[in-house]
């Protein structure tokens, strides 16, 4: 994934949390691995540091803790800092963008503008870039959330689309850059073993979970106006669902892959408002304990309204109305302050139609595929085998692909892969506008029904796996969440 093309990477929100924790560490790792063109430059844009020396001091203090799992390479770090320039700019003053134009006008290659800012600033920044002629020979990266609902999302996309062509716009979803997500495509479309089984005749159900131990941290103001459905389901979970369920693309070029994902999103069965209580669970964490540490209730977090009805947990039963998946339930789940930090996809295959080996072979989940996205990226295939000894007693065994053990070279972090794709002009792992619209169109009726009902979310103690209603929803279909079975 080496790029030999010069580039100028302009980072708006250059002193923000995302820049410090993810973006600059990812660029450093690409630099250390020799994946960035020698002449490529990084321009931090912010208003906190006075000059380049002050910005470099800020980067040294705030980025170093997040780089290099195997230790910091001081020589590589020093040469990485040489790439960095800085422009002090007030985003609320369009006239300041002339300073940015002057700073980058002589720098080489394609310009990448990364908007690591709040979505309310996306449109003003784009207009200001266009006003000083910086919307040509450029690409723009938009962080989520892109809007609050379909209307606001369309408003942002319309405004940005007047300034940048669709092929210049990179809507980032970092889950699409994770190694196991890429391996899911390889697993499905590169192996004759799995593709014939990847359909309703052989799949009983599929679970997709993104669970977090953390609460809202310092994002209370933002999160209380967003909630788990907007923050995680509309983007991350529906994108993972579309990759799991998509048809084989004609090729791996950007539009072929995104066309197939779009077909899945458009095939999602609309949720009838009368069925919301049966197929959608929303919860909110109360005080509890995680790994022996007491944590407060969501309603007492800084920035959160005391009488808030914002959900911190969502579980959904989803159906896809097409020939491949008709009748197969997809269970989606995400939440904060849950018992563990985990992101995984669980494919439960149907039991054998008749067993001469006893009831073990007939139990749900006897054959399953578990794709772990975090924290340990693995693919595990469960099947049944005879236990040693007398009699035909079956036991569950598994085959493992642990990426860090099988491949000697280190795995590439999601942001590193995605940033290199932006620089190299590869769009396949970024969300196209029509995908985003289809996701909002499906999610919005749920949001509207919850708002109209004005009922508080179901409580769950921090450190658990969410409200009991989440488990009850799966029990109605004769199954359970993976951790409950174990």
């Amino acid at each position: 994934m080496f790029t030999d093309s010069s580039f100028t990477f302009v980072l708006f929100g250059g002193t923000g949390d995302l820049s410090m924790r993810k973006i600059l560490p990812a660029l450093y790792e690409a630099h250390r691995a020799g994946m960035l063109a020698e002449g490529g430059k990084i321009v931090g844009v912010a208003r906190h540091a006075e000059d380049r020396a002050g910005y470099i001091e800020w980067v040294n203090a705030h980025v170093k803790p997040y780089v290099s799992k195997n230790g910091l390479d001081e020589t590589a770090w020093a040469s990485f800092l040489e790439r960095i320039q800085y422009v002090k700019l007030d985003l609320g003053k369009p006239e300041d963008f002339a300073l940015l134009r002057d700073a980058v006008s002589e720098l080489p290659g394609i310009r990448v503008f990364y908007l690591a800012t709040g979505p309310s600033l996306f449109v003003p920044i784009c207009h200001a870039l266009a006003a000083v002629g910086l919307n040509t020979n450029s690409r723009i990266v938009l962080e989520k959330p892109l809007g609050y609902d379909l209307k606001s999302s369309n408003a942002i996309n319309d405004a940005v689309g007047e300034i940048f062509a669709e092929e210049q716009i990179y809507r980032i979803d970092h889950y699409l850059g994770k190694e196991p997500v890429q391996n899911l495509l390889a697993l499905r479309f590169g192996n004759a073993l799995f593709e014939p089984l990847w359909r309703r005749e052989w799949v009983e159900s599929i679970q997709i979970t993104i669970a977090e131990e953390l609460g809202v941290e310092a994002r209370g103001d933002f999160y209380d106006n967003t909630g788990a459905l907007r923050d995680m389901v509309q983007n991350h979970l529906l994108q993972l669902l579309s990759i799991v369920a998509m048809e084989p693309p004609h090729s791996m070029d950007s539009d072929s892959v995104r066309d197939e994902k779009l077909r899945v999103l458009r095939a999602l069965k609309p949720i009838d408002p009368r069925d919301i209580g049966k197929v959608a669970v929303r919860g909110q964490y109360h005080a509890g304990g995680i790994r022996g540490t007491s944590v407060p209730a969501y309603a007492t977090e800084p920035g959160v309204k005391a009488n808030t009805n914002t959900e911190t947990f969502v579980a959904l039963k989803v159906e896809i109305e097409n020939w491949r998946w008709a009748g197969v339930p997809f269970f989606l789940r995400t939440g904060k302050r849950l018992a563990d930090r985990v992101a995984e996809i669980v494919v439960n295959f149907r039991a054998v139609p008749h067993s001469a080996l006893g009831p073990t072979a007939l139990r749900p989940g006897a054959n399953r595929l578990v794709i772990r996205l975090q924290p340990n990226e693995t693919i595990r295939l469960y099947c049944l085998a005879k236990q040693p000894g007398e009699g035909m007693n079956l036991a569950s065994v598994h085959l493992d692909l642990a990426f860090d053990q099988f491949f000697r070279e280190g795995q590439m972090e999601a942001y590193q892969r995605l940033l290199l794709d932006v620089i190299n002009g590869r769009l396949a792992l970024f969300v196209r506008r029509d995908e985003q619209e289809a996701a909002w169109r499906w999610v919005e009726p749920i949001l509207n029904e919850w708002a109209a009902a004005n009922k508080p979310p179901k409580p769950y103690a921090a450190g658990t796996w969410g409200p009991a209603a989440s488990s009850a929803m799966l029990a109605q279909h004769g199954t359970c969440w993976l951790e409950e079975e174990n």
Side-chain angles (χ1 to χ4, degrees):
M1 199 175 280
F2 170 77
T3 175
D4 57 0
S5 302
S6 293
F7 64 92
T8 299
F9 189 98
V10 180
L11 180 56
F12 288 94
T15 55
D17 183 62
L18 180 64
S19 297
M20 299 298 106
R21 289 188 303 108
K22 295 293 185 182
I23 301 172
L24 287 174
L27 289 170
Y28 161 74
E29 294 294 350
H31 167 83
R32 184 185 60 82
M35 293 179 173
L36 297 182
E38 187 174 338
K41 298 294 183 183
I42 300 165
V43 181
V45 176
R47 61 179 179 178
H48 298 300
E50 284 300 319
D51 53 22
R52 181 182 181 277
Y55 185 63
I56 294 297
E57 183 178 348
W58 179 278
V59 169
N60 265 315
H62 292 86
V63 177
K64 272 188 174 182
Y66 297 104
V67 303
S68 288
K69 296 177 182 178
N70 300 320
L72 182 73
D73 182 329
E74 291 291 351
T75 300
W77 179 252
S79 60
F80 173 70
L81 293 181
E82 292 176 3
R83 291 182 182 270
I84 297 179
Q85 301 186 18
Y86 176 70
V87 175
K88 183 178 181 180
L89 189 153
D90 187 338
L91 298 180
K93 296 179 179 178
E95 61 273 16
D96 279 9
F97 279 73
L99 301 174
L100 178 62
R101 178 197 60 207
D102 295 343
V104 303
S105 60
E106 299 301 321
L107 295 181
I110 190 77
R111 297 188 187 111
V112 174
F113 298 108
Y114 197 114
L115 275 54
T117 67
S120 62
L121 294 172
F122 290 174
V123 174
I125 290 174
C126 289
H127 280 298
L129 290 172
V132 295
L134 290 178
N135 59 322
T136 60
N137 189 35
S138 62
R139 298 169 185 143
I140 189 156
V141 186
L142 304 178
E143 267 286 349
K144 77 170 188 72
L146 204 66
Y148 183 79
D149 52 20
L150 179 61
K151 181 179 179 181
S152 59
S153 175
N154 281 341
I156 293 174
N157 277 317
D158 287 343
V160 175
E162 291 176 358
I163 298 164
F164 294 93
E166 179 64 25
E167 60 269 19
Q168 293 177 276
I169 302 172
Y170 291 69
R171 300 173 188 86
I172 195 167
D173 185 330
H174 71 274
Y175 271 84
L176 299 183
K178 289 182 176 291
E179 195 73 54
V181 176
Q182 303 301 296
N183 264 298
L184 176 58
L185 296 172
L187 190 78
R188 283 196 58 194
F189 305 132
N191 296 285
L193 175 65
F194 290 107
E195 179 55 25
L197 304 179
W198 214 264
R199 59 191 67 249
R200 60 186 175 83
E201 291 88 351
W202 304 109
V203 174
E204 181 75 34
S205 65
I206 294 178
Q207 302 174 16
I208 306 177
T209 294
I210 302 177
E212 300 176 274
E213 287 184 335
L214 293 175
V216 295
E217 306 306 296
R219 300 168 70 229
D221 286 328
F222 161 78
Y223 197 89
D224 207 40
N225 292 306
T226 304
L229 190 65
R230 290 185 178 91
D231 190 45
M232 297 296 290
V233 176
Q234 184 272 331
N235 38 69
H236 298 327
L237 278 169
L238 289 186
Q239 282 292 316
L240 291 178
L241 169 66
S242 66
I243 289 177
V244 169
M246 65 188 274
E247 294 297 319
H250 170 68
S251 70
M252 295 306 294
D253 69 77
S254 60
D255 281 328
S256 292
V257 172
R258 297 191 293 180
D259 285 346
E260 297 304 335
K261 289 197 296 171
L262 177 63
R263 289 188 178 96
V264 173
L265 294 170
R266 287 178 171 171
L268 292 177
K269 181 181 179 180
I271 291 181
D272 190 321
R274 294 169 296 182
D275 293 333
I276 288 286
K278 301 176 183 177
V279 299
V281 177
R282 62 194 300 252
Q284 185 186 104
Y285 66 82
H286 287 201
I290 296 180
R291 303 190 187 280
T293 301
S294 296
V295 295
Y298 171 74
T300 64
E301 298 274 20
V304 174
K305 298 183 290 291
N307 61 345
T308 180
N309 277 345
T310 298
E311 78 281 354
T312 61
F313 175 96
V314 173
L316 299 169
K317 172 182 173 276
V318 179
E319 295 182 58
I320 300 173
E321 296 183 311
N322 63 19
W323 276 51
R324 182 183 287 266
W325 296 113
V328 176
F330 287 72
F331 298 105
L332 312 184
R333 175 177 60 163
T334 186
K336 291 190 173 295
R337 291 297 190 202
L338 297 183
D340 200 2
R341 173 181 174 263
V342 62
E344 65 186 6
I345 299 163
V346 180
V347 181
N348 290 311
F349 295 102
R350 295 189 185 278
V352 295
H354 169 74
S355 174
L357 304 176
T360 302
L362 296 174
R363 67 176 176 82
N367 303 138
R368 66 160 53 105
L369 184 69
V370 179
I371 302 160
R372 177 67 65 92
L373 307 180
Q374 66 182 28
N376 302 311
E377 299 178 338
T378 58
I379 294 177
R380 177 172 288 183
L381 177 64
Y382 288 83
C383 54
L384 296 176
K386 178 189 175 298
Q387 293 186 23
E390 185 179 4
M392 183 57 73
N393 298 313
L394 301 182
S396 179
V397 297
H398 55 262
L399 308 173
D400 274 351
L401 170 58
F403 296 111
D404 59 347
Q405 296 177 23
F406 192 85
F407 297 106
R408 293 183 180 275
E409 61 270 21
Q411 290 188 58
M412 190 180 295
E413 294 290 338
Y415 269 96
Q416 183 180 342
R417 172 180 288 104
L418 294 173
L419 295 181
L420 287 170
D421 276 3
V422 177
I423 293 169
N424 287 303
R426 293 188 284 260
L427 279 158
L429 300 183
F430 295 85
V431 181
R432 204 167 58 192
R433 176 174 179 169
D434 49 8
E435 289 181 78
Q436 193 173 67
E437 288 181 1
W440 272 120
R441 195 169 287 111
W442 186 81
V443 162
E444 199 165 54
I446 306 173
L447 290 168
N448 294 340
E449 184 63 23
W450 283 348
N454 195 31
K455 294 180 180 179
K458 297 182 183 300
Y460 65 96
T464 67
W465 282 102
S470 168
S471 299
M473 182 174 68
L474 271 69
Q476 293 174 359
H477 296 274
T479 188
C480 63
W481 295 109
L482 181 60
E483 77 281 347
E484 295 172 334
E485 185 172 297
N486 294 336

